[in-house]
């Protein structure tokens, strides 16, 4: 498993369009991709889960990738 801490810089946070884009990229990966926000761990391949997480601008999250193409997925 590989992970990276990032800060959300989109002024609107992760709303519908960025969630859809992120889910599309995560869906193209063969590994599991999760976003960890505080105590919540969200499947990044699901637009609804990303939107339900309520990730606002300035929030620090951890992106976790686990599987056969994890390093490549984290770069995406």
């Amino acid at each position: 498993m590989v992970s990276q801490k990032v800060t959300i810089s989109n002024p609107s946070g992760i709303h519908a369009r960025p969630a859809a884009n992120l889910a599309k990229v995560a869906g193209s990966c063969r590994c599991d991709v999760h976003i960890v926000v505080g105590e919540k761990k969200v499947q990044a391949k699901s637009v609804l889960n990303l939107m339900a997480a309520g990730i606002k601008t300035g929030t620090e999250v951890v992106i976790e990738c686990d599987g056969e193409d994890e390093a490549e997925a984290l770069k995406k």
Side-chain angles (χ1 to χ4, degrees):
M1 178 172 74
V2 295
S3 64
Q4 182 176 350
K5 192 178 289 189
V6 297
T7 302
I8 303 302
S9 60
N10 184 353
S12 301
I14 305 266
H15 60 87
R17 188 170 293 134
N21 290 339
L22 179 56
K24 183 178 179 181
V25 171
S28 71
C29 302
R30 293 184 304 269
C31 65
D32 291 328
V33 182
H34 292 94
I35 307 291
V36 180
V37 185
E39 298 296 317
K40 292 188 260 183
K41 187 172 186 176
V42 179
Q43 175 59 260
K45 294 182 180 184
S46 168
V47 176
L48 293 177
N49 286 345
L50 289 168
M51 290 175 55
I55 303 170
K56 308 253 185 250
T57 188
T59 303
E60 192 171 84
V61 301
V62 177
I63 302 171
E64 295 181 345
C65 300
D66 188 21
E68 62 183 270
D69 66 339
E70 60 190 27
E72 182 182 326
L74 189 60
K75 288 179 185 178
K76 288 182 182 181

